Amino acid sequence: SQQGEEDPQALSIQEGENATMNCSYKTSINNLQWYRQNSGRGLVHLILIRSNEREKHSGRLRVTLDTSKKSSSLLITASRAADTASYFCATPPGGSNYKLTFGKGTLLTVNP
Amino acid sequence: EPEVTQTPSHQVTQMGQEVILRCVPISNHLYFYWYRQILGQKVEFLVSFYNNEISEKSEIFDDQFSVERPDGSNFTLKIRSTKLEDSAMYFCASSAEAGNEQYFGPGTRLTVT
């Protein structure tokens, strides 16, 4: 797989349920960032987790990072219809401080 | 809350024409970036810019592309002679420091006919 690949590709849940999305990457990283994109719109930055952190919270978001497995997960708790969007992880590959490499994203649909 | 802005939101141009996409990064940020997203595909890095010079660029960013910070607030991407395959959403981003959060603008949808 390429740097920053999300899993699953699509996820459909009911409002109030939790949603978990996973991301795998190949090279060593300094940090990993999660973004949200509503259809045809811009990228909204959600959270950044650094390589020396294992878990980070922001509101209803919880991100974990396992550098030994080169993977990260994004948990959205108590989902709302407004959370419907595509979610991407992005990493600076090979120690780059500038370039972010994005995956194809997970399309989350939260049904009211 | 400060945000990155981009103009225009949609640009239609004919093949072979030059286009300039404009961005106003967050005011205290020092690092600037351009990315693009072809419809249905991944977001791809084009170039990063710091201290008035390119710090990193991708293989996509060939001689047809250039970037400039013409004044203290604007950051531009110029495509000299557009091709059909340049049709995409172009995103500008900025960050306070290298390796920090990159904040993206709403994008400019470029359509080359």
Side-chain angles (χ1 to χ4, degrees):
Chain A
S1 66
Q2 297 181 26
Q3 189 82 346
E5 288 293 329
E6 296 86 352
D7 170 63
Q9 292 186 358
L11 180 61
S12 181
I13 60 174
Q14 295 299 122
E15 217 168 16
E17 294 180 341
N18 295 342
T20 299
M21 289 158 271
N22 302 296
C23 168
S24 60
Y25 58 92
K26 294 183 74 176
T27 67
S28 62
I29 58 172
N30 298 321
N31 67 71
L32 185 144
Q33 306 187 38
W34 283 92
Y35 289 84
R36 184 185 76 227
Q37 184 180 37
N38 291 83
S39 180
R41 308 289 293 275
L43 293 154
V44 175
H45 187 272
L46 297 176
I47 200 163
L48 178 152
I49 187 165
R50 299 200 182 275
S51 58
N52 61 352
E53 298 176 306
R54 291 297 168 258
E55 188 171 310
K56 203 162 181 180
H57 297 253
S58 177
R60 293 184 296 113
L61 306 180
R62 173 177 166 254
V63 168
T64 62
L65 180 64
D66 187 335
T67 54
S68 66
K69 295 181 180 177
K70 292 187 168 58
S71 67
S72 173
S73 67
L74 170 67
L75 168 68
I76 304 174
T77 60
S79 63
R80 305 165 182 169
D83 294 329
T84 295
S86 290
Y87 290 82
F88 300 89
C89 66
T91 56
S96 168
N97 276 329
Y98 306 109
K99 168 182 179 178
L100 287 179
T101 299
F102 286 78
K104 292 182 179 178
T106 292
L107 176 58
L108 173 67
T109 303
V110 182
N111 301 298
Chain B
E1 185 175 326
E3 58 183 20
V4 177
T5 59
Q6 290 185 242
T7 54
S9 56
H10 192 189
Q11 173 95 43
V12 181
T13 189
Q14 288 191 329
M15 197 167 50
Q17 295 296 305
E18 173 184 288
V19 294
I20 297 176
L21 309 183
R22 292 181 165 79
C23 167
V24 179
I26 294 173
S27 63
N28 63 342
H29 284 185
L30 301 176
Y31 295 81
F32 315 115
Y33 313 86
W34 284 101
Y35 291 79
R36 78 174 186 189
Q37 185 179 31
I38 296 171
L39 188 64
Q41 297 189 24
K42 295 182 182 183
V43 175
E44 301 173 290
F45 169 82
L46 293 177
V47 67
S48 60
F49 192 84
Y50 169 72
N51 200 26
N52 280 321
E53 60 183 30
I54 291 173
S55 45
E56 189 171 352
K57 63 181 181 179
S58 72
E59 59 276 8
I60 302 169
F61 194 88
D62 60 21
D63 292 344
Q64 293 298 312
F65 292 89
S66 62
V67 289
E68 189 180 25
R69 188 153 165 83
D71 53 43
S73 60
N74 290 285
F75 179 51
T76 62
L77 174 69
K78 181 193 290 186
I79 309 175
R80 282 186 239 290
S81 178
T82 50
K83 305 170 190 169
L84 294 175
E85 53 265 37
D86 293 328
S87 294
M89 183 76 93
Y90 287 80
F91 294 107
C92 173
S94 69
S95 65
E97 296 180 20
N100 274 21
E101 294 87 346
Q102 292 188 19
Y103 294 97
F104 283 70
T108 292
R109 181 166 298 283
L110 176 65
T111 302
V112 182
T113 61

